[in-house]
Amino acid sequence: MPYPPRARKNGLPVTTPRVHIATDHAGMELSAHLVGHLTAKGYEVVDHGPKEYDALDDYPSFCINAGLAVVADQKAGVHALGIVLGGSGNGEQIAANKVNGVRAALAWNLSTAKLAREHNDANVVAVGGRQHTVEEATELIEAFLQEPFSNDERHVRRIGKIAVYETTGEIVE
């Protein structure tokens, strides 16, 4: 889905995406930091929870709701991306990927954060709050949010094959 050109101003795309964020208890501190940090940088951030710390929380609902919101925004023509956070980011990525239309990628370094967008057009990034400092995690998130999809034919073709399977169950060779 094409969005307006990705012109840059102060290092940020002029058309910044709406950002949907969700976490579990292990990512709450990082989530609170990111909400403030990204809002200050001009992003519209929608926090899908949780709203208070609970060591026994169940993250799937938060991450699924963030994924649903990203997909709904994109279907409506709104440039939107998502962030899901946890201790490792793995469970949160898995939960988000259960939403039809979500392509969530676990980022653990700058290369994986950028390639998730550039090659896979990932629309949700997962980061482990216990795996990185707040500064490192912020750098990963910013890299993900700022990296455009390449629109390279081979990547478009591969993503299309994934979408066909997701919607029809057919495996395209």
Side-chain angles (χ1 to χ4, degrees):
M1 172 179 299
Y3 296 102
R6 297 187 54 89
R8 301 238 174 222
K9 181 179 180 183
N10 298 327
L12 278 177
V14 171
T15 305
T16 56
R18 178 179 293 155
V19 177
H20 294 276
I21 190 168
T23 189
D24 76 348
H25 62 277
M28 284 198 71
E29 184 177 318
L30 177 57
S31 181
H33 164 76
L34 288 169
V35 168
H37 177 80
L38 294 174
T39 300
K41 290 198 125 210
Y43 290 90
E44 177 188 354
V45 181
V46 180
D47 189 350
H48 293 272
K51 301 299 182 207
E52 57 188 46
Y53 181 85
D54 177 0
L56 299 176
D57 70 4
D58 292 329
Y59 61 83
S61 61
F62 306 124
C63 296
I64 291 168
N65 282 328
L68 288 168
V70 167
V71 171
D73 273 355
Q74 290 182 337
K75 285 182 179 175
V78 175
H79 184 25
L81 295 171
I83 303 166
V84 293
L85 308 167
S88 70
N90 284 309
E92 295 73 23
Q93 175 199 25
I94 292 167
N97 271 321
K98 297 303 178 186
V99 175
N100 193 353
V102 166
R103 287 178 308 284
L106 181 66
W108 65 90
N109 61 29
L110 283 175
S111 180
T112 58
K114 290 178 179 181
L115 287 172
R117 292 283 306 130
E118 182 184 352
H119 288 188
N120 307 112
D121 199 17
N123 52 8
V124 175
V125 65
V127 173
R130 292 182 177 156
Q131 311 305 311
H132 308 280
T133 65
V134 169
E135 294 78 20
E136 291 169 343
T138 301
E139 188 177 23
L140 296 177
I141 298 297
E142 286 183 344
F144 176 85
L145 294 175
Q146 294 174 23
E147 189 68 32
F149 176 51
S150 70
N151 280 304
D152 183 276
E153 185 278 328
R154 66 188 169 142
H155 300 307
V156 171
R157 182 182 67 246
R158 293 167 185 163
I159 293 164
K161 288 180 176 187
I162 294 167
V164 168
Y165 177 77
E166 183 177 48
T167 57
T168 69
E170 176 189 352
I171 300 172
V172 178
E173 296 293 327

